[in-house]
Amino acid sequence: MSGIREQGTGNREQKSRIAKFTLDIYQTIYNHTVVNNLDTTFAALSDPTRRAMLERLSHGPATVHGLTEPFALSQQMISKHIAYLVRARIVIKTKRGRESVCTLRPEAIKTVSDWAISYRRFWEESFDKLDVVVNQMKKEEIRDDKKHG
C-alpha cells in the first residue's frame, strides 16, 4: 500500500517539475521576445538625434532627405541612425522611386509604453501603501502626544 502512495507522490513531483519547466520556457520566451526587443528599442531611443527623427516621423512619413535637413550631420550618419531605428523595428524604410521613405511603427513604442505602465502601477501601489503607514504613524504620534501632554 505504501508503494502506491510513494508512486503517487513521485507522479505529483514529476507533474510539478513539468509545470515548472513549462513556466520556465514561457518566461524564457517572454524574455527573448519582449525584454530583448526592449533592449534594442531603448538603445535606439537613447540617442537624441534618433528621438528627434521619431518626433518628426510621429507627424507622418518622411523621406531620408527630409530627415537629414534639420541636422548638421552627413547623409552617411543619418543613414546609420535610420538603420539603427529600422533594426530596432521602430521605423520601416521603403523605396518609392528614387527616394527612400521612413514610416514610424507605433507598435514598437507601445511595447515600451506597456512595459513602463506596469512599473508605474507597481510604484503607485507602493507609494499608496507607504502613505497608509505614514498616516498611521502620524495618528499614533498624536495619540502619544495627548497621553504625555
Side-chain angles (χ1 to χ4, degrees):
M1 195 73 160
S2 67
I4 295 172
R5 283 189 189 146
E6 287 174 13
Q7 186 179 22
T9 303
N11 207 8
R12 270 188 252 129
E13 288 174 3
Q14 183 179 6
K15 286 180 182 179
S16 177
R17 281 194 303 262
I18 291 170
K20 184 181 178 341
F21 178 73
T22 303
L23 290 174
D24 289 345
I25 287 175
Y26 287 132
Q27 186 64 40
T28 301
I29 291 169
Y30 173 81
N31 284 340
H32 181 69
T33 58
V34 175
V35 176
N36 289 348
N37 288 345
L38 280 174
D39 289 348
T40 306
T41 303
F42 279 125
L45 296 174
S46 69
D47 185 273
T49 301
R50 291 191 287 266
R51 288 193 305 270
M53 293 172 127
L54 293 177
E55 171 61 29
R56 165 55 192 91
L57 291 173
S58 71
H59 301 289
T63 63
V64 171
H65 179 71
L67 288 174
T68 305
E69 288 174 359
F71 303 103
L73 296 172
S74 68
Q75 177 71 39
Q76 185 179 9
M77 279 306 299
I78 293 295
S79 292
K80 285 184 179 183
H81 283 297
I82 292 170
Y84 209 109
L85 293 169
V86 168
R87 230 181 355 264
R89 301 184 67 214
I90 299 173
V91 168
I92 298 170
K93 183 177 164 187
T94 54
K95 274 289 217 191
R96 282 197 199 147
R98 297 175 65 190
E99 291 188 312
S100 292
V101 176
C102 296
T103 307
L104 183 64
R105 280 189 69 246
E107 312 87 59
I109 304 301
K110 184 177 180 330
T111 302
V112 171
S113 175
D114 291 346
W115 178 84
I117 285 170
S118 70
Y119 282 95
R120 179 180 179 185
R121 285 187 197 124
F122 167 78
W123 284 110
E124 285 176 350
E125 288 172 9
S126 296
F127 288 135
D128 289 343
K129 289 175 185 175
L130 179 61
D131 196 37
V132 168
V133 169
V134 169
N135 286 333
Q136 184 63 35
M137 290 173 69
K138 285 179 183 178
K139 287 178 185 176
E140 289 175 13
E141 188 176 302
I142 291 169
R143 275 190 235 131
D144 287 347
D145 286 348
K146 286 181 182 179
K147 283 181 184 177
H148 300 299

